[in-house]
Structures are given as structure tokens and as C-alpha cells.
Amino acid sequence: MTAAPANLPRPARRPSNLLPMLGVALAALLLYWPLMLWANSGQAARSLASGADLGCTTALACATQLRNPVIPAPGQFATGFTSLSVPPLAPTSAPYNALVTGGETLLGLALASVLGLVLATLLVRSRSFERATLPWLVASQTVPIVALAPMLAVLLGQYGVQGFLPKAIIAAYIAFFPIAIGMAQGLRSPDPLQLDLMRTYRASPAQVFGLLQVPASLPYLFTSLKVAATAALVGSIVAEISTISFSGLGKMLAENSRASDTVALWVIMIYGAALGIVLVALIGGLERLVTRWRPPA
Amino acid sequence: MTASRPTSDAPIVSVRDLQMIFPTPGGQTVALQDANLQIMPGEFISLIGPSGCGKTTLLRLMADLIQPTGGELLVNGGTPRKARENRAYGYVFQAPALMEWRNVLNNVKLPLDVMNTPKAERDSRAREMLKLVGLEKFERSYPWQLSGGMQQRVSIARALAFDPPLLFMDEPFGALDEITRENLNLELLRLWRETGKTVVFVTHSISEAVFLSTRVVVMTARPGKIEGIVDIGLPHPRSDDSREDPRFFEYATQIRELLKKGHS
Ligand SMILES: Nc1ncnc2c1ncn2[C@@H]1O[C@H](COP(=O)(O)OP(=O)(O)O)[C@@H](O)[C@H]1O
Ligand SMILES: [Mg+2]
């Protein structure tokens, strides 16, 4: 049993998916221009016919000059972005409001993780708990969040819970379910041999939980966190729209849709999408940090 | 660290009329019937037989991982449960069953973590075991970075880490190639000689059983039972030369005959 030299299999670097992603972005850019002209020209033609002075003469030329375009022209995007992004931390700026929404979502995810872990533990421990609660947990997710959010906000308000926290709680309400189900699956994932092994050591149930079940469930936790993150983001934005809010992307969406400012709505939507990507990337980073022991995918 | 070794004239494992019947859909499986066996401290016992003859079942019974439906079983003079609670044995499973999130060193430390061994001792003890199985250079590697043979060596080091007087090994080398297997056999024999542990070893391989054991328990299937026991009189320490000894072939033939007898 001579020791082989310690040249461990080092994984080949995974081919980056940057190039294919850029390819799709390029295709989208190429499509954008004709699509924008086509989408806006109808409205431009109607405006011209009604005699409005747009400073242009043909529908095609006017398609880039509309006040509330279906799809903004590049110049409109540029001014929209600047006016909503500079200075970034002003209360009316999209970056500031994205931070608020992101914070609510992260807090919601943290709350949901704690609740999800507790529920998953109980679900795995007790069949009767599972039989009694699982249908209700499923039912809790069928309530439309748009209907639930204002009521929750009012109820929480009566207990003095205001501002940031109600949104986080509503985000958590959506996020806890996938986390609980994923964690329950993870806690059940250890190999029967690994459980037998712990038994040969006379390990206590707490040791089996802490040394075997919890570490085995971490990959499951992160998979469900990624699913939960986008759902939680929808939750906090809906909560901001449907309750009295003073900041957040949802509040900006509500204001600008009342003002029919389509350029601003587009910009906020893009900020929302970017926020979602950042949240999922954050969780992915945390996952790589926590589960360093895994072979690279 | 564990229960003291019993005096050498008392069996460390005593099996009397042991029976194990599993309920199965639409009937029952007699996995083990009328099994009788006394294992003395310091012996190296191999259980050999076709698959399904109850080798794993017998080992799991001794380890208190399942409870018998009949007969008597004593380990270390008490019930298997008491032996398990005294951490009297180490168990090497058919698969390495390593914890993927622990590196090699921490996998070997697992039993010491569970048993709350003083922290300072855990590292040195685990390193000692890794050296014993020749993996000291790999202590920082994770299981997926190791070959099957290396993983199984880690699981052997792990079973030895808390110095149990008894070692149960269920086809630990079953999935390995012949060369790795023979190397590990030599290594295991050296370990057994140096530590004086009692080993109960399950195998499919006649030559492996003869090479390793002081006695070979031949089992046959349907229902699982002990067909006969062959004393292996080859001198120790054994080496590759022992495989050339004429007696080696005699013992192998005896075992083969017993296996055939059960088949007819
Ligand atoms: N938990 C179980 N439930 C039902 N049948 C079992 C169980 N464990 C083993 N058996 C049956 O008992 C017999 C002996 O199995 P086993 O001890 O694993 O054989 P071996 O290890 O010699 O290959 C087989 O027929 C097997 O199907
Ligand atoms: Mg078996």
C-alpha cells in the first residue's frame, strides 16, 4: 500500500457560458431596432393623423420620438436611465430603491430559511406532523399574494410593524415553502449506510442531525434558495405596490404606472431583472463558499 | 478508550442457534438458520458464501444493526446492543460511506468527534491511522478526489480510529481490482498482527479468505446457514509466498467442496 504521489484530480475548467450568453444578447440587440420601430409606429401614425407636432413627418421617423413609447428608443433609454440613476442614492433613484427592495428580499429569505429549517426538521421528525401540516402549507401557497399582501400589511401595522419589515415578511411568506420542502428532502438524503455508521458510534439524534443530516442537506438548501429568491423578490415588489410604501422598486413602479411613464417603467423593470440576477448570483457565491467540498459541476 | 478486552479463553462473539427471518411481501425470507459459531479474541474469521446466504445479515446482527428473530448472540460477553453502546466494534461497510463534505482527515476523525475524544487527541490519532493505511499525504483531499481503493482505506482508518477491539468488515475490497485487493490484504494482515484485534471479514473470494484467516466459515444459501468451518493452518506472518504453499490449495479445495455441498 504505497502512497501514490499527491497529484489529485484537478477538474478541468468548465467552459464559460459567457460566449453563448453574449450571442443571445447580440441577437436581442439586432432584433431590438426593428421590433421597436414596429411597436411604436402605430402610435406614431395615430399621433401624426391627429395633428400633433412631434417634430417629425413620417410614422417611422416619429417612432423614436414618442412621449410614452411601447418600446423606448436608445436615446430615450439613455435619458431615462440617467434621470433615474443619478445621483444613485437619492430617494427617487432606481439604484437606491433597488437596494431597499433587495434588502427586504434578503431579510425575507433569511426569515424564510429559519422558518423553513424548523418546518423541515419537524416534517422529517414526525410523520403525523407531516400529515397534519403539509396540506395546509400547500394551501398557504395557493392564496394569491396580491390579495394577501395588503391584508398582512394592515394586520402587521396594527402591531406597529411598519416600513421595511412587512415587505420582508411577505417575501418570507412566499419563500419559506420551497425552502422547507427542499430542506426536508435534504435532511432525508443521507445514505442508509451513513445512518448505520452513526448508529455503530452510538451517536445521539442531535449528532446525527448536526453531523450528517444538516451538512447533507446544504446542496438542497441552496437549490431551493435560488428558486425562493426570485419568488421572494416578486413578493417584496408586490408588497411595495399593494401597500403604502415610501421606497422600493414596487413603489416606483406604482407611481410611474399612474403617470403612464413607459420609459421609466422600462428602466425600473430592467433594474428589477438585474436585482434578481444579483440575488441569485449572491446565493450562488455563498453556495460555492459553503460547499467547497463539492466537485465543480 | 473502549471496553477492555476479555480474557482470551472466553469467546468474544458467541452465536448459538441464531435465526433471522425477514418478512417480505407475500411471505418471509429465512436469511439465517441454526447458525452456531464461537469467535475467540485475536482471531481473523472470514465468512464466505454465495450472495444471499446471510453473510451481511450475520454481521449486522453482531453489530446490533438488526435484531435476531431467534437464538442467542453474545458479543464481548453481553448483548450486541451493549457492545455497540460500549463502542466495542468498528464496522467497515461494503461501500466506503464517507461524508462527502469532510476531507480525508476529518472523515477519519468522525468517530472521535461523535465520541467527544479530547480535541487535541483527535488530529494526532486520525493522522496515525492515515499513516497506517498509507494515505497521510491525502489528508486534505475530499472523497471525490480519491479512487475507490483509497476511499475504502479511509473507511478502514476511520473504523480503527477509536481503537475498537473488534472489527467487522463487509466485503470491504469487493469492488476493487485484483492488484489493489492483494496489496490491501497484505496491509490488513499486518494491521491485524500489530494490533491484536479480532476481525470478522466477509468475502466472496476463496483465495482471499484462505490468505487472511485463522478460520473460514463457509455459508450456503436458501436458507442461509453455516455449512462448515475450515481451520487455516498456514503460519504467520504470511506473505505472497503463502499463496504458493501446497496447504493453501488444500484449504481452498476444502472450502470449494463445502460450497458445492450446499449447492447440491
Ligand atoms: N432488510 C431485509 N429485508 C428483507 N430481506 C432481507 C433484508 N436483508 C437481507 N434480506 C434477505 O436475506 C438474505 C440474505 O441477505 P444478505 O445477508 O445480505 O446476504 P449476503 O450478504 O450473504 O449476500 C437475502 O435473501 C436477502 O434478500
Ligand atoms: Mg452482503
Side-chain angles (χ1 to χ4, degrees), chain B:
Chain B
M1 196 178 290
T2 47
S4 60
R5 211 162 283 176
T7 51
S8 59
D9 51 347
I12 190 164
V13 177
S14 165
V15 178
R16 271 183 221 287
D17 302 327
L18 198 63
Q19 181 202 57
M20 185 72 216
I21 297 175
F22 289 109
T24 40
Q28 52 187 34
T29 306
V30 183
L32 201 63
Q33 204 174 42
D34 303 326
N36 283 286
L37 176 66
Q38 309 282 316
I39 301 175
M40 303 309 280
E43 277 201 280
F44 195 120
I45 298 287
S46 285
L47 310 178
I48 193 171
S51 49
C53 71
K55 305 181 295 293
T56 298
T57 300
L58 181 52
L59 219 52
R60 290 174 66 82
L61 283 166
M62 293 178 188
D64 188 44
L65 294 175
I66 48 175
Q67 281 71 47
T69 50
E72 190 191 56
L73 176 58
L74 294 176
V75 180
N76 256 351
T79 60
R81 173 168 186 164
K82 192 150 158 281
R84 180 174 63 81
E85 289 182 345
N86 285 335
R87 289 150 176 171
Y89 68 83
Y91 200 119
V92 179
F93 294 90
Q94 203 160 352
L98 300 177
M99 312 264 161
E100 317 71 293
W101 52 89
R102 286 180 168 241
N103 66 22
V104 165
L105 186 71
N106 287 333
N107 263 292
V108 177
K109 266 164 63 176
L110 177 69
L112 308 178
D113 291 344
V114 173
M115 297 173 192
N116 279 315
T117 309
K119 278 228 162 58
E121 249 177 69
R122 294 182 200 175
D123 272 337
S124 58
R125 183 79 198 147
R127 290 214 168 85
E128 208 181 306
M129 294 304 112
L130 279 177
K131 211 161 160 195
L132 212 59
V133 299
L135 286 178
E136 66 272 27
K137 287 192 188 138
F138 294 88
E139 61 169 62
R140 306 220 152 273
S141 307
Y142 283 91
W144 66 269
Q145 295 172 301
L146 305 181
S147 70
M150 290 157 89
Q151 291 187 15
Q152 202 52 280
R153 270 143 77 187
V154 175
S155 85
I156 293 171
R158 178 180 63 187
L160 293 170
F162 58 105
D163 199 23
L166 239 176
L167 206 52
F168 296 139
M169 306 179 82
D170 192 355
E171 294 189 49
F173 310 139
L176 306 181
D177 62 88
E178 191 84 12
I179 298 166
T180 313
R181 189 182 181 128
E182 290 191 356
N183 275 331
L184 288 173
N185 281 344
L186 278 170
E187 195 60 25
L188 182 59
L189 265 189
R190 183 179 63 76
L191 230 146
W192 169 72
R193 266 202 333 276
E194 283 173 8
T195 58
K197 291 185 192 308
T198 313
V199 180
V200 185
F201 186 94
V202 170
T203 179
H204 266 130
S205 155
I206 296 178
S207 62
E208 187 173 61
V210 175
F211 183 68
L212 292 173
S213 317
T214 55
R215 284 194 293 158
V216 176
V217 177
V218 182
M219 299 178 67
T220 51
R222 273 171 288 276
K225 62 173 192 291
I226 295 179
E227 192 68 43
I229 299 176
V230 179
D231 277 295
I232 309 293
L234 293 171
H236 288 278
R238 293 176 191 167
S239 67
D240 283 330
D241 294 337
S242 312
R243 298 182 195 275
E244 314 292 328
D245 192 312
R247 281 173 295 176
F248 190 96
F249 299 103
E250 273 170 42
Y251 296 130
T253 310
Q254 270 186 47
I255 293 169
R256 201 168 288 116
E257 294 298 323
L258 280 169
L259 286 170
K260 268 194 201 137
K261 208 172 117 196
H263 216 72
S264 54

Side-chain angles (χ1 to χ4, degrees), chain A residues 20 23 26 90 100 106 158 179 187 208 213 241 253:
Chain A
L26 189 69
V100 171
L106 281 178
Q158 285 176 354
I179 295 176
L187 292 174
V208 174
Q213 291 180 286
I241 293 177
L253 282 174

